[in-house]
Amino acid sequence: MKIKKSICLLLILVLTFSVFAKDFDAVYGIYQIKINDNAGSFCLFVEDPRSEKFVPVLNPLGNFSRNKFYLKAGNRVYPLSKIDGVPFTYEINQTCTTMTYSVKGVADVKFIFTFVNSRTGQAENADMAIVDALITNKGRVTKNYTLKAVFDTMLGETYISHFATDKLKALNTEAVFTSMVADHWIKSANDNISLKFLFNGPSISNPTNVSVANINLLSTDNWEPKLVPGRGYNSLFSINNSAISATWPSYKLVPEAKCNVRFYITTAVLGDETPDAKSPFFTTGMAEKNLKDYKDEEKFINAEIEEYAILSSNDSNVEPVSAYKNGKNGADSDNLPKIAPEKVNQEYINELLAKIEEVQKNPDQYTQDKVLQLNTELDAVLKMLGQ
């Protein structure tokens, strides 16, 4: 018990808060979106009918900075936030909230959260967020652009399962999908509120990679973090802290050309069915019309956009390639290192804690492989101790 308590206490990440941070918010139907102007970040809240208060469905800690978008331009990765030095502006109106990040001499990236009802397509009683990411090449040369999103979910962390998909009832270990054709969505839910990220369906931009893992493994400039099938949602910095990342196809853009990525975030409360691509907004053609109207308004010139590395998501025979394997409770822990029980004594724990503390103090001095090794060793120890 002493060993287990030592690990848990020393692995809690100490978060710092800015007492001067200022939030701006807007309410759309069941949703509330908050913008932190100091950090250039956002968070989503949903109205809980039991308390009649808005509760977070994404992690609000750290000035909302755990929910972040990343832009890859050429070979360079830009975290999109004011904290990382990227200028940020926003606009709130009656139907949508817009956030714009301007990477000087590289790109403007505009995120438009439009809130509608999944049955009527109207703003009244909105239960769905249409998320558009509009990338404009602001450089002087043609360049490849790729978008990645990371969401620090929290609903499933205290529930039966962290995540689910259309095909998987429970997703409680790290997983990677290179297609969402079969699984369609990732759901984060507890017994009261459900949140779905729609990654496949009419008008949706199909991602080339969707991953679930610990937030500290996903929120990194490393474009393709190394995940381990069967490993839980623990890291050197936080325990049982799951998150979702999605990466979309690359676009080759000439200067001033635009490309757009679209996905949806839907919600339901008190056991109601969470909207997805089977909802009337998608089945009656409203989704395609909405996307066409949006592109017409943004004045897309299709000839300037060359899309490549696209998965043939319209092929019904395409199956998702996933690191998730079936086993007890759907997990496969064969990839975790085997540690002899007699080895896990106080001396071993002290050595492991010393290594972890050193990495926490000097993260820039350690490679991703070394961090991965310690993460995996930690997860094996926690599994042995029943954490």
Side-chain angles (χ1 to χ4, degrees):
M1 181 61 68
K2 181 179 178 182
I3 293 174
K4 181 178 178 181
K5 186 176 292 185
S6 297
I7 290 181
C8 294
L9 289 175
L10 288 177
L11 292 181
I12 296 175
L13 177 64
V14 179
L15 298 173
T16 56
F17 297 86
S18 171
V19 296
F20 301 107
K22 191 171 184 180
D23 297 340
F24 300 87
D25 67 88
V27 173
Y28 304 96
I30 199 173
Y31 282 105
Q32 180 187 49
I33 185 169
K34 288 188 177 183
I35 304 295
N36 185 283
D37 187 45
N38 284 12
S41 54
F42 77 99
C43 192
L44 288 178
F45 296 72
V46 168
E47 186 176 15
D48 184 342
R50 298 182 302 187
S51 64
E52 297 184 345
K53 295 181 179 180
F54 286 95
V55 298
V57 291
L58 299 176
N59 196 328
L61 297 180
N63 297 334
F64 314 153
S65 60
R66 289 167 170 262
N67 309 295
K68 187 180 293 186
F69 293 96
Y70 297 80
L71 176 70
K72 188 175 184 181
N75 293 320
R76 184 170 177 180
V77 176
Y78 299 89
L80 299 179
S81 77
K82 285 177 72 173
I83 294 175
D84 295 288
V86 178
F88 166 81
T89 58
Y90 69 93
E91 180 181 349
I92 296 174
N93 62 35
Q94 292 184 344
T95 59
C96 69
T97 292
T98 301
M99 305 183 301
T100 303
Y101 299 89
S102 300
V103 184
K104 186 176 180 180
V106 177
D108 284 346
V109 188
K110 181 166 67 173
F111 295 94
I112 307 169
F113 288 75
T114 306
F115 297 86
V116 300
N117 183 276
S118 60
R119 294 173 296 280
T120 66
Q122 302 301 310
E124 187 176 3
N125 298 320
D127 59 359
M128 181 168 66
I130 306 172
V131 186
D132 284 297
L134 180 65
I135 303 171
T136 304
N137 181 353
K138 288 297 182 179
R140 297 180 178 179
V141 299
T142 299
K143 191 171 287 188
N144 300 331
Y145 292 88
T146 316
L147 182 72
K148 180 169 74 173
V150 175
F151 300 103
D152 189 1
T153 53
M154 55 190 299
L155 296 177
E157 292 176 354
T158 56
Y159 197 51
I160 300 170
S161 62
H162 282 255
F163 300 112
T165 76
D166 199 12
K167 295 296 183 182
L168 299 170
K169 292 183 179 180
L171 195 54
N172 286 319
T173 58
E174 292 182 6
V176 179
F177 301 86
T178 56
S179 166
M180 291 300 291
V181 171
D183 290 90
H184 299 117
W185 40 259
I186 303 285
K187 180 170 72 172
S188 169
N190 57 26
D191 60 351
N192 187 39
I193 300 175
S194 176
L195 196 70
K196 278 184 182 177
F197 295 81
L198 308 189
F199 293 127
N200 179 261
S203 79
I204 298 174
S205 305
N206 292 283
T208 55
N209 178 292
V210 173
S211 300
V212 292
N214 181 277
I215 180 63
N216 299 116
L217 298 179
L218 297 180
S219 56
T220 170
D221 293 355
N222 184 10
W223 198 249
E224 296 181 358
K226 296 179 181 179
L227 305 184
V228 178
R231 185 171 60 185
Y233 301 125
N234 304 313
S235 77
L236 302 183
F237 307 101
S238 59
I239 295 175
N240 198 47
N241 193 347
S242 52
I244 299 172
S245 76
T247 304
W248 283 269
S250 297
Y251 292 78
K252 182 179 288 186
L253 301 179
V254 300
E256 295 301 324
K258 302 175 182 179
C259 65
N260 194 74
V261 164
R262 169 174 284 201
F263 64 100
Y264 295 76
I265 303 175
T266 67
T267 192
V269 297
L270 300 180
D272 289 345
E273 185 69 23
T274 314
D276 55 27
K278 298 175 185 176
S279 301
F281 182 79
F282 297 95
T283 59
T284 63
M286 284 187 280
E288 289 95 333
K289 183 179 185 304
N290 180 281
L291 180 61
K292 181 181 182 302
D293 292 345
Y294 163 76
K295 287 191 172 184
D296 288 345
E297 182 179 348
E298 293 293 344
K299 298 179 174 60
F300 275 76
I301 304 175
N302 293 326
E304 293 181 346
I305 301 175
E306 180 183 343
E307 191 172 352
Y308 72 100
I310 300 292
L311 180 70
S312 180
S313 57
N314 294 323
D315 185 352
S316 60
N317 294 320
V318 174
E319 292 294 331
V321 179
S322 173
Y324 186 77
K325 298 181 180 180
N326 291 327
K328 184 178 180 181
N329 296 326
D332 180 1
S333 58
D334 290 344
N335 290 280
L336 296 179
K338 306 300 182 184
I339 301 175
E342 59 271 17
K343 182 181 178 181
V344 185
N345 53 33
Q346 191 63 50
E347 181 181 358
Y348 171 81
I349 294 298
N350 288 340
E351 291 179 359
L352 180 59
L353 291 175
K355 294 177 185 176
I356 292 171
E357 187 176 4
E358 176 62 24
V359 172
Q360 289 176 330
K361 289 180 178 178
N362 304 289
D364 295 337
Q365 297 180 16
Y366 291 86
T367 65
Q368 184 73 12
D369 287 339
K370 180 62 176 177
V371 174
L372 176 64
Q373 176 190 336
L374 285 174
N375 273 329
T376 306
E377 185 176 359
L378 167 66
D379 204 66
V381 171
L382 291 175
K383 184 178 180 66
M384 182 179 298
L385 297 175
Q387 175 63 35

